[in-house]
Amino acid sequence: MKLKFTKAIIENILNTTINFVDKKDNSLITSHILIEANENIKFRATDKEFGIEYIDNTSQIIEKGSTTINGKRFYEIIKALNDDYIDIEIKDNTAIISQNHSIYKLPTFEAHEFPSFPNENFKNIKLNHLDFI
């Protein structure tokens, strides 16, 4: 999987989804954000009680795929980068986040290990991201 984002877009997405990851144990899959890139890019986060899905139609998909990345660490890296394009590439269960001369690597989990959204009494609310903000 290989993706290209503007910092503003990815930072906004992570700022929203980070609230739904499990913050107790960074080694758990629920501390990760699922990223799926097919016809659009979907970001999912859940702590097994609540979940959020964010769909991005504006960023560039260079190579399709899916993975999970630790939400907290991913967000910290993105915040530290400059206001420019950010590339994310997945190779051998490692997320490579790069911008110009900056390169960060994070371990990933397989996407199929990510838990499904809570479905007992599940309420689905669809909002335009501008309305949500």
Side-chain angles (χ1 to χ4, degrees), residues 45-95:
T46 182
D47 61 4
K48 294 188 179 177
E49 286 185 45
F50 297 99
I52 187 168
E53 179 178 89
Y54 195 112
I55 299 173
D56 175 18
N57 293 312
T58 60
S59 299
Q60 184 180 0
I61 300 170
I62 299 166
E63 185 179 309
K64 295 179 180 183
S66 60
T67 194
T68 70
I69 301 176
N70 181 280
K72 182 181 176 189
R73 291 182 184 151
F74 188 29
Y75 185 53
E76 289 170 353
I77 290 169
I78 297 300
K79 283 187 354 182
L81 294 173
N82 296 325
D83 289 331
D84 200 356
Y85 285 99
I86 298 170
D87 295 313
I88 299 169
E89 184 174 8
I90 307 304
K91 284 186 179 177
D92 301 323
N93 292 329
T94 301

Side-chain angles (χ1 to χ4, degrees), residues 1-24:
M1 180 172 80
K2 191 169 185 180
L3 310 170
K4 185 178 217 68
F5 298 93
T6 62
K7 180 183 178 182
I9 295 286
I10 190 71
E11 190 172 26
N12 183 40
I13 292 168
L14 294 176
N15 190 37
T16 303
T17 56
I18 195 74
N19 297 311
F20 293 87
V21 300
D22 190 346
K23 295 164 188 70
K24 296 175 189 167

